[in-house]
């Protein structure tokens, strides 16, 4: 077996009323109104080899096979207040 490491970095521009909170389960979550949002990976697949390919997670068997191979996952949430506009 080989080990694949994936580094994901995403930036979102969010409204001021969205906030990072500590969820009762012990994870950091984004709170939007009365909902808690966690970030995870969802593998997307296609059989098309062209520029306009459609990528989906509809192949549940393949998606589950990939997710079962995940041995660790960590997400850190941070709000950059220096980006606030005045």
């Amino acid at each position: 077996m080989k080990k694949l490491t994936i580094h994901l970095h995403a930036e979102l521009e969010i409204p001021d009323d969205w906030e990072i909170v500590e969820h009762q389960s012990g994870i950091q979550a984004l709170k939007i109104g009365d909902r808690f949002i966690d970030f995870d990976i969802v593998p997307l697949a296609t059989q098309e080899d062209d520029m306009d390919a459609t990528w989906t997670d509809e192949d549940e068997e393949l998606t589950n096979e990939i997710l079962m191979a995940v041995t660790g996952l960590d997400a850190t949430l941070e709000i950059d207040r220096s980006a606030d506009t005045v």
Side-chain angles (χ1 to χ4, degrees):
M1 286 286 219
K2 299 181 274 188
K3 182 172 278 204
L4 169 66
T5 301
I6 301 170
H7 297 273
L8 298 173
H9 176 88
E11 292 183 9
L12 291 75
E13 289 189 13
I14 62 171
D16 290 336
D17 61 333
W18 293 13
E19 61 181 327
I20 297 172
V21 298
E22 193 74 25
H23 188 268
Q24 290 285 2
S25 65
I27 66 166
Q28 276 188 319
L30 183 62
K31 187 158 194 252
I32 303 173
D34 63 350
R35 305 205 54 193
F36 297 93
I37 312 300
D38 184 23
F39 292 88
D40 204 339
I41 64 167
V42 176
L44 303 177
T46 189
Q47 291 183 317
E48 303 167 24
D49 189 19
D50 61 80
M51 193 168 63
D52 297 323
T54 302
W55 295 83
T56 72
D57 62 349
E58 292 175 351
D59 184 340
E60 290 183 31
E61 187 175 323
L62 178 60
T63 298
N64 287 335
E65 180 180 352
I66 294 167
L67 291 177
M68 291 302 294
V70 175
T71 58
L73 181 66
D74 185 35
T76 303
L77 306 179
E78 175 183 322
I79 294 177
D80 181 1
R81 296 287 181 198
S82 68
D84 287 349
T85 56
V86 181

